[in-house]
Amino acid sequence: MNYWLLKTEPSAYSIDDLKRDKTTAWEGVRNYQARNFMQQMKKGDLCLFYHSSTEPVGVFGVAKVTKEAYPDASQFNKKDSHFDPKATKEKPIWFCPDITFVKKFKEPFLLTHIKADHALRGIMVAQQGSRLSVQPVSEMHFTYITKNA
DNA sequence: GCCAACGTTGGC
DNA sequence: GCCAACGTTGGC
């Protein structure tokens, strides 16, 4: 089993939205490195759910992968801001998994605390300029954050 | 709102 | 295939 971190701006889609929807297609990611990670996701993998560009910034809960990556429908939709004219149904470019709500933390594990905690040294999200919106997380770091949130 | 860090684009 | 210009991300 692998562990991941998914970034989202809560004004666009928050942990509460996921709690309400229960399951959602993780559409709209338009970065090749992030796409490649999403294609590696397996059913049952667990994801830290991270809020960015907000106050406060941090991990707000956990989601799990319930459907492995398949073509992202938004790339074909001209009216969608994530429309990609280079993509065709025969040769899709972008893929997304379905993720399902697992839990919302009572208290978020804030980025300031992640950065200050020696046990989390090396975690990608705390590294300078880490803009990747889908990241792998080590089992050790995943367990530490979920146990201590 | 600022701006540094980053990814992508496109001319050559 | 280089790399400058550009657009975007995201913490602060």
Side-chain angles (χ1 to χ4, degrees), chain A residues 88-130:
Chain A
T88 64
K89 294 265 166 100
E90 293 71 34
K91 284 209 165 182
I93 298 172
W94 305 108
F95 297 81
C96 63
D98 281 354
I99 62 159
T100 297
F101 179 82
V102 173
K103 67 169 150 185
K104 179 181 177 180
F105 296 150
K106 287 199 182 74
E107 300 288 339
F109 201 116
L110 301 182
L111 180 60
T112 51
H113 295 152
I114 291 174
K115 285 183 169 168
D117 197 326
H118 282 206
L120 296 171
R121 189 175 289 182
I123 192 169
M124 197 182 285
V125 75
Q127 276 156 28
Q128 186 181 24
S130 176

Side-chain angles (χ1 to χ4, degrees), chain A residues 51-143:
Chain A
H51 283 184
S52 68
S53 295
T54 183
E55 182 57 44
V57 166
V59 177
F60 278 70
V62 176
K64 70 178 170 192
V65 176
T66 46
K67 185 175 175 185
E68 293 174 16
Y70 58 94
D72 177 336
S74 67
Q75 71 194 304
F76 307 123
N77 181 358
K78 284 200 175 111
K79 289 179 182 150
D80 195 293
S81 62
H82 301 290
F83 174 68
D84 188 336
K86 294 196 288 292
T88 64
K89 294 265 166 100
E90 293 71 34
K91 284 209 165 182
I93 298 172
W94 305 108
F95 297 81
C96 63
D98 281 354
I99 62 159
T100 297
F101 179 82
V102 173
K103 67 169 150 185
K104 179 181 177 180
F105 296 150
K106 287 199 182 74
E107 300 288 339
F109 201 116
L110 301 182
L111 180 60
T112 51
H113 295 152
I114 291 174
K115 285 183 169 168
D117 197 326
H118 282 206
L120 296 171
R121 189 175 289 182
I123 192 169
M124 197 182 285
V125 75
Q127 276 156 28
Q128 186 181 24
S130 176
R131 291 168 45 175
L132 197 56
S133 64
V134 178
Q135 310 178 354
V137 176
S138 71
E139 180 176 13
M140 186 179 77
H141 288 160
F142 180 91
T143 303

Side-chain angles (χ1 to χ4, degrees), chain A residues 7-26 49-52 99:
Chain A
K7 276 188 204 169
T8 175
E9 295 193 19
S11 58
Y13 197 86
S14 71
I15 186 84
D16 293 319
D17 293 326
L18 183 62
K19 187 175 184 181
R20 178 199 64 216
D21 294 345
K22 295 192 176 64
T23 294
T24 193
W26 204 244
F49 200 92
Y50 180 92
H51 283 184
S52 68
I99 62 159

